[in-house]
């Protein structure tokens, strides 16, 4: 879709920045409301460009949750229970997601059980899981006193629809930006760091993720009988790196764009592939989603502070089942979520990995994460199971010409992806600070030149129209 492409973003973002820092600043004390209005209108236009009808779904979500926020606030002011508006808001938001995202899947599965049902064709609004969870966060945070209710529906609309993180995250909880909607302070330091962050994220997506996707898509598209063990492992590794650089790249771009407009989003990835346990991995991977489920599901259920072990296990099960379902309407996603439930239960209650050497912990965790991504990537169980079988049973041979060709052609990209999945850049930055005379040179000359080169290379890939998959269509 054009609106999610880098080319459209290159045209859209400068126009938004020009209006934000140009004409909007001429309105004196009304500058902030005008800037917020520009961001809201621009965000709705951004979404409507590729989803002209589904923008109405988003606007309905905004208005409904605006009303629920007022209802919660009114109950609090009168000393009444907020249970009714909270329950109804959850039902309405999840009901919206269910109709668009899960109804077809449920009816199809019921049909396989012998029920005669008409299965409608329902197109999925892009990013519905992201903006629905943000809408729920608004009402829940108002209820918890983590943010003030917004009397102006345009401000609620801006929070839910803000274009940088609208279609691919991170999920921004209302408490994170509640104050910044009105009181943010733009400055050159934030703007310049935002530009740098945006360029790094774009490089991750365009240069690394898109090239790794070619290998992964070939491997997952091969018939299971023709897939060698070497090609299966190479494809799995490339997808493991692809999804990290794709998702973290989008998050970097969103965080960078937010900073350009004065918003400070929390980090979404923290080098997850250096983790030495599955629990640590989920503290580092898609942090905004894991903290959302932690704060709004796991803690309210009691978390780990319960009097019975079975309750703790139940809480983990609920969170991971919902995590799998959130990602998409397919058995592969559900089993992927339950796979992590089993792994975390084994770590917490059976001591899996406890006492192992650190290197072995990392290798085992990375191995388990790779297997999990096979379930996540496969279009169905009929694809996932033969693929996993090929990784351990050389029915198609141990190594073939395809594996050699793809490894040879993509070795520099694969090596760079593996290298930078570890915190190499921060390590180099810390080293540079200890070198006499170097920090100023790095900051003022070398680093900007590297970013210019990154922009040039990324732009060349975009202009050439290289393979540019969008892997969040299920979300």
């Amino acid at each position: 879709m054009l609106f999610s492409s880098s080319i459209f973003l290159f045209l859209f973002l400068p126009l938004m920045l020009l209006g934000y820092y140009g004409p909007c600043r001429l309105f004196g004390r009304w500058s902030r409301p005008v800037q917020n209005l520009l961001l809201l209108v621009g965000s709705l236009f951004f979404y409507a460009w590729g989803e002209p009808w589904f923008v109405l779904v988003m606007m309905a979500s905004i208005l409904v949750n605006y009303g629920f926020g007022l209802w919660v606030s009114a109950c609090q002011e009168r000393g009444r229970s907020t249970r009714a508006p909270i329950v109804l808001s959850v039902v309405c938001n999840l009901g919206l997601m269910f109709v668009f995202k899960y109804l077809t899947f449920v009816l199809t599965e019921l049909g396989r059980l012998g029920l005669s049902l008409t299965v409608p064709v329902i197109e999925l609004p892009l990013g519905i899981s992201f903006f629905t969870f943000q809408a729920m966060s608004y009402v829940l945070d108002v209820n918890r006193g983590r943010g003030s209710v917004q009397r102006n529906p345009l401000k609620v609309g801006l929070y839910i629809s803000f274009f940088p993180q609208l279609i691919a995250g991170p999920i921004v909880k209302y408490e994170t930006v509640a104050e910044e909607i009105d009181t943010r302070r733009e400055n050159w330091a934030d703007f310049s760091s935002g530009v740098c962050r945006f360029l790094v994220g774009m490089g991750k997506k365009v240069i690394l993720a898109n090239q790794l996707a070619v290998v992964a898509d070939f491997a997952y598209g091969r018939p299971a009988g023709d897939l060698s063990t070497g090609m299966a492992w190479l494809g799995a590794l490339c997808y493991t790196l692809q999804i990290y650089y794709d998702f973290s790249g989008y998050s970097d771009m969103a965080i960078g764009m937010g900073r350009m407009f004065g918003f400070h989003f929390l980090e979404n990835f923290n080098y997850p592939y250096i983790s030495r346990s599955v629990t640590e991995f989920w503290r580092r991977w898609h942090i905004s989603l894991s903290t959302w489920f932690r704060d709004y599901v796991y803690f309210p259920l009691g978390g780990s502070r319960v009097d019975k072990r079975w309750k703790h296990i139940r809480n983990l099960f609920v969170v991971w089942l919902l995590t799998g379902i959130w990602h998409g309407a397919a058995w592969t996603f559900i089993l992927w979520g339950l796979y992590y439930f089993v792994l975390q239960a084994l770590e917490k209650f059976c001591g899996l990995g406890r006492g192992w050497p650190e290197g072995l912990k990392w290798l085992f965790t990375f191995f388990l994460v790779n297997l999990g991504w096979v379930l996540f990537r496969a279009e169905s169980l009929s694809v996932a199971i033969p693929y996993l079988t090929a990784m351990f049973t050389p029915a198609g041979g141990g190594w073939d010409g395809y594996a050699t060709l793809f490894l040879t052609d993509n070795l520099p990209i694969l090596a760079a992806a593996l290298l930078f999945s570890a915190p190499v850049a921060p390590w180099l930055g810390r080293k540079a600070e200890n070198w006499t005379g170097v920090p100023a040179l790095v900051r003022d000359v070398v680093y900007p030149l590297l970013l210019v080169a990154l922009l040039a290379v990324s732009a060349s890939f975009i202009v050439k129209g290289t393979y540019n998959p969008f892997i969040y269509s299920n979300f």
Side-chain angles (χ1 to χ4, degrees):
M1 295 182 181
L2 180 59
F3 93 108
S4 61
S5 71
S6 299
I7 294 176
F8 178 72
L9 189 58
F10 268 124
L11 298 174
F12 179 77
L13 181 59
L15 289 175
M16 290 295 293
L17 289 169
L18 182 62
Y20 187 85
Y21 285 100
C24 288
R25 288 290 187 94
L26 302 178
F27 286 85
R29 66 188 184 91
W30 295 101
S31 293
R32 179 64 74 214
V34 173
Q35 286 175 325
N36 285 344
L37 180 61
L38 172 70
L39 293 179
L40 172 60
V41 173
S43 297
L44 294 176
F45 172 77
F46 180 79
Y47 192 78
W49 185 270
E51 307 281 354
W53 292 109
F54 288 141
V55 73
L56 300 177
V57 175
M58 179 187 290
M59 293 174 68
S61 176
I62 290 169
L63 292 174
V64 167
N65 284 283
Y66 166 72
F68 279 125
L70 293 178
W71 188 3
V72 167
S73 179
C75 290
Q76 291 173 334
E77 292 172 357
R78 297 170 185 173
R80 297 178 180 175
S81 171
T82 59
R83 185 179 184 86
I86 291 299
V87 170
L88 283 175
S89 70
V90 171
V91 169
C92 288
N93 281 291
L94 295 184
L96 179 72
M97 281 184 60
F98 176 81
V99 169
F100 283 100
K101 192 170 182 177
Y102 305 106
L103 180 60
T104 298
F105 171 73
V106 170
L107 292 177
T108 300
E109 295 304 311
L110 290 175
R112 290 176 179 173
L113 296 176
L115 298 179
S116 180
L117 299 171
T118 300
V119 181
V121 177
I122 303 176
E123 189 175 349
L124 181 67
L126 200 58
I128 188 172
S129 297
F130 290 102
F131 72 71
T132 299
F133 268 33
Q134 290 205 180
M136 292 173 67
S137 174
Y138 167 68
V139 180
L140 294 172
D141 282 353
V142 169
N143 181 61
R144 299 191 306 167
R146 300 293 181 86
S148 301
V149 67
Q150 293 290 351
R151 305 291 176 182
N152 186 341
L154 300 181
K155 294 178 182 179
V156 178
L158 173 60
Y159 160 68
I160 294 174
S161 68
F162 192 32
F163 74 91
Q165 35 67 237
L166 176 58
I167 58 173
I171 301 170
V172 179
K173 292 191 294 184
Y174 179 63
E175 66 177 275
T176 304
V177 296
E179 298 298 324
E180 289 187 333
I181 292 176
D182 288 314
T183 62
R184 62 188 180 275
R185 293 290 182 268
E186 302 87 348
N187 56 70
W188 174 248
D190 276 347
F191 185 89
S192 59
S193 68
V195 171
C196 295
R197 188 68 178 270
F198 176 84
L199 293 177
V200 169
M202 183 172 62
K204 284 183 177 181
K205 162 63 178 170
V206 175
I207 300 174
L208 294 178
N210 286 358
Q211 310 316 307
L212 293 165
V214 175
V215 184
D217 288 353
F218 176 84
Y220 281 91
R222 295 283 293 172
D226 297 336
L227 190 63
S228 70
T229 297
M231 191 65 228
W233 276 102
L234 181 60
L237 177 61
C238 284
Y239 183 72
T240 293
L241 295 169
Q242 176 204 350
I243 193 171
Y244 168 63
Y245 284 106
D246 202 303
F247 207 168
S248 68
Y250 270 116
S251 292
D252 286 341
M253 287 190 282
I255 292 169
M257 284 189 286
R259 202 166 293 173
M260 293 181 210
F261 293 103
F263 290 92
H264 295 82
F265 304 152
L266 300 180
E267 294 296 331
N268 206 26
F269 290 87
N270 183 23
Y271 298 101
Y273 292 153
I274 67 170
S275 301
R276 290 161 295 180
S277 69
V278 170
T279 301
E280 181 186 356
F281 173 78
W282 277 99
R283 292 195 191 107
R284 294 174 174 272
W285 177 274
H286 202 346
I287 300 169
S288 64
L289 180 66
S290 57
T291 55
W292 198 99
F293 277 114
R294 180 198 67 192
D295 293 348
Y296 301 126
V297 179
Y298 186 64
F299 285 168
L301 287 174
S304 59
R305 298 181 178 180
V306 287
D307 56 354
K308 303 288 185 181
R309 174 173 287 189
W310 72 265
K311 292 182 180 179
H312 190 187
I313 295 173
R314 175 206 62 191
N315 297 345
L316 288 172
F317 175 80
V318 170
V319 166
W320 286 108
L321 176 63
L322 294 177
T323 299
I325 293 173
W326 181 88
H327 281 86
W331 287 113
T332 49
F333 291 119
I334 295 172
L335 290 177
W336 175 78
L338 296 179
Y339 169 76
Y340 276 107
F341 157 70
V342 172
L343 292 179
Q344 284 214 341
L346 290 174
E347 286 185 352
K348 291 181 181 295
F349 305 114
C350 301
L352 179 65
R354 192 175 302 159
W356 293 7
E358 296 301 305
L360 183 58
K361 286 182 181 180
W362 168 81
L363 185 62
F364 185 60
T365 301
F366 191 68
F367 168 77
L368 293 176
V369 169
N370 269 271
L371 296 185
W373 287 135
V374 174
L375 265 179
F376 190 92
R377 170 61 178 80
E379 295 180 1
S380 65
L381 291 177
S382 62
V383 174
I385 294 173
Y387 195 100
L388 288 167
T389 302
M391 293 174 70
F392 298 97
T393 305
W399 192 267
D400 60 10
Y402 289 117
T404 300
L405 177 63
F406 278 110
L407 180 61
T408 303
D409 288 350
N410 294 278
L411 188 58
I413 292 291
L414 188 58
L418 287 169
L419 178 65
F420 290 106
S421 67
V424 174
W427 179 82
L428 289 174
R430 291 192 298 269
K431 285 291 184 181
E433 291 177 358
N434 297 324
W435 296 341
T436 304
V438 172
L441 177 64
V442 171
R443 182 179 63 250
D444 298 335
V445 180
V446 177
Y447 185 56
L449 288 177
L450 288 175
L451 288 175
V452 170
L454 184 63
L455 173 61
V457 175
S458 300
S460 68
F461 275 87
I462 294 170
V463 170
K464 286 194 304 181
T466 53
Y467 188 47
N468 186 31
F470 185 73
I471 61 178
Y472 310 108
S473 57
N474 287 310
F475 306 163

